[in-house]
Amino acid sequence: MNAVFCVVAVVGIGLSVWAVVMQVIDLRARSESRGRIEAGCGGLVDSDRVLALHGGIDRVEMSDRYRITTGRRDSSCVVYRVGDPGTTYGHFSLDLTLSPSNPNADERLVKVDHEPFDYFTSENRDDVTAVAQYSPPYPLGDGTLGEYDADTVTARAVCEDGGRISSVEAEVAAWHDGPLTSEDRRELSGLARQAAERAAAKNGCRARLPEVPSALPRPRTALGPAAEAGGTCAWYRRHAAVQGRGELPDRALAAPAGKASAHDSCLLAMSPEGTERIWPAYEKRSSRPKDLDEALTLRPLWLQTDTLVGDVTRGLRTGAANRKPVSSGTAGSADGTWWASSVCVGKPALHLMQVSFSYGDILRDRLEPLFRAYVEDATERRGCTGVTFPEASDFAGR
């Protein structure tokens, strides 16, 4: 028994020493990880909060290709969690954008066209427009602080006049196998706000940022009945109820409408049943009708409206065909996109409507009243003035 007790004691001491050694190693790894995040992300985010994401980690590596430089107009950092020896996995990213006070000095180029549905990645290929590839932007509170979607959070510091820059935008994302939880989303919102506030201070931008709201509804990607749409799509429900739906979409994907949001959006689409319903009439009146099977799969019928306010209106371009500038103070159409402009609380605003390739021909006679209904609702809700609409001829043909 004495021998057994001695062996147990020795093993216990060994395990205790090993536990202390491992704890020291973990503490050192965590300290090194803090330093990497601090250096790579420009000191804009609390490294302990980054390490705490996804249940908490101790070891990270930084991407060699990206590094935040707080004086550059665009920079980013990417944090990877370390797994088994020789493996790393995505963990966190931060993108920083500084908008110069002189809009003519802003060289960014942003495409406004996109594709909300993808037949090849759709879970239900018999119903492509049931679920979108992305969610519309949701406002953080009333939108003054920024927006978020299913994967990212964007916080924005709008600078007082007279400085070198007019705004600071910080977009953060947490990379994870599963969807973000409400706790993840709230923590990311805090990190985005922290990054925007710190970057603003480092660049002499005087700005007051609201606190992160307590309620952050989970962003949706599944479309619902257009007749029940609210939020950013409420304007469409009212318009269709008065004008009649006919060839107009029967599905909608909305987000809460933030009065001060820099970006809000409404996605509308036609269900397979709706597409089949309107197709015979379309084929009769069109000299070169599109293929029905293609409209049900590869080229579904959809349209999206967007309002952009402030510095996010800069550098916009239409699709690959013409690359036409979509500039504040102008109105027009190109590449299946129509836009109007206004001024919202002293800031430039753009109101856009993008229509899928086949749908533009089907909705030709309804495009102008539909777009006007959207712009009038968006500008009235925000108290915008100086509205400029496209000419009637812009709706006559693509």
Side-chain angles (χ1 to χ4, degrees):
M1 291 298 294
N2 287 338
V4 172
F5 287 143
C6 288
V7 170
V8 171
V10 170
V11 171
I13 293 171
L15 290 174
S16 298
V17 171
W18 178 250
V20 171
V21 170
M22 292 304 298
Q23 187 175 19
V24 170
I25 291 173
D26 288 342
L27 289 172
R28 181 178 296 174
R30 189 174 184 85
S31 177
E32 292 173 350
S33 294
R34 286 196 196 98
R36 293 188 184 106
I37 295 170
E38 183 79 12
C41 294
L44 297 185
V45 288
D46 186 331
S47 55
D48 280 322
R49 294 176 69 177
V50 174
L51 291 172
L53 293 170
H54 309 320
I57 56 173
D58 292 319
R59 294 172 174 81
V60 302
E61 296 289 346
M62 303 297 295
S63 169
D64 295 332
R65 296 179 55 193
Y66 304 102
R67 187 184 183 90
I68 291 288
T69 304
T70 54
R72 285 179 55 189
R73 292 182 186 172
D74 296 286
S75 58
S76 59
C77 65
V78 180
V79 181
Y80 296 96
R81 60 185 173 90
V82 177
D84 294 332
T87 63
T88 56
Y89 306 89
H91 182 71
F92 172 82
S93 66
L94 165 63
D95 294 298
L96 181 69
T97 302
L98 309 181
S99 296
S101 295
N102 180 5
N104 296 322
D106 203 327
E107 300 174 351
R108 77 185 77 180
L109 294 177
V110 182
K111 289 176 62 178
V112 301
D113 64 310
H114 47 263
E115 177 56 59
F117 305 106
D118 187 351
Y119 171 78
F120 296 102
T121 60
S122 174
E123 293 183 4
N124 183 0
R125 295 191 178 186
D126 292 328
D127 192 353
V128 180
T129 61
V131 180
Q133 296 189 82
Y134 53 79
S135 69
Y138 278 52
L140 288 168
D142 69 352
T144 302
L145 179 58
E147 305 86 36
Y148 67 98
D149 58 27
D151 302 307
T152 64
V153 179
T154 301
R156 200 171 290 106
V158 179
C159 313
E160 296 177 8
D161 293 337
R164 180 177 63 88
I165 58 176
S166 61
S167 68
V168 174
E169 182 178 283
E171 179 183 286
V172 300
W175 302 353
H176 199 250
D177 295 335
L180 295 180
T181 65
S182 57
E183 183 179 347
D184 291 334
R185 196 166 292 113
R186 183 166 179 79
E187 190 60 31
L188 282 178
S189 299
L191 286 167
R193 183 189 184 281
Q194 183 181 68
E197 188 172 51
R198 290 183 178 182
K202 291 186 177 186
N203 283 277
C205 164
R206 296 185 301 276
R208 297 182 64 181
L209 279 68
E211 295 299 322
V212 173
S214 57
L216 296 172
R218 181 178 180 179
R220 295 176 53 235
T221 55
L223 281 73
E228 301 173 7
T232 54
C233 291
W235 69 273
Y236 176 73
R237 185 196 70 237
R238 294 190 291 265
H239 176 77
V242 173
Q243 300 297 324
R245 192 162 53 81
E247 304 93 347
L248 293 176
D250 57 7
R251 285 176 170 172
L253 177 59
K259 187 175 181 179
S261 294
H263 182 197
D264 63 37
S265 180
C266 168
L267 175 62
L268 303 166
M270 189 68 90
S271 66
E273 297 79 13
T275 302
E276 292 173 342
R277 175 181 59 81
I278 68 172
W279 212 256
Y282 160 64
E283 287 182 322
K284 287 180 180 179
R285 69 172 182 266
S286 176
S287 59
R288 299 179 64 184
K290 307 299 187 297
D291 183 69
L292 173 59
D293 288 337
E294 194 172 87
L296 292 171
T297 55
L298 301 178
R299 293 181 181 270
L301 308 182
W302 61 268
L303 66 89
Q304 180 168 312
T305 57
D306 293 87
T307 286
L308 303 166
V309 181
D311 291 336
V312 294
T313 61
R314 298 181 182 184
L316 301 182
R317 298 289 188 274
T318 60
N322 296 320
R323 284 301 205 178
K324 188 171 181 177
V326 179
S327 306
S328 56
T330 70
S333 68
D335 302 313
T337 299
W338 287 261
W339 71 93
S341 60
S342 68
V343 178
C344 301
V345 196
K347 300 175 184 176
L350 285 167
H351 313 278
L352 302 94
M353 180 174 72
Q354 183 186 349
V355 184
S356 63
F357 180 72
S358 302
Y359 213 8
D361 294 336
I362 296 172
L363 293 178
R364 182 61 53 196
D365 295 337
R366 307 197 66 171
L367 288 176
E368 184 174 9
L370 182 68
F371 186 53
R372 279 188 170 272
Y374 169 65
V375 175
E376 288 170 358
D377 179 87
T379 52
E380 181 180 353
R381 174 165 55 87
R382 292 170 174 268
C384 306
T385 59
V387 183
T388 302
F389 278 102
E391 300 291 336
S393 57
D394 288 317
F395 297 92
R398 296 177 83 93

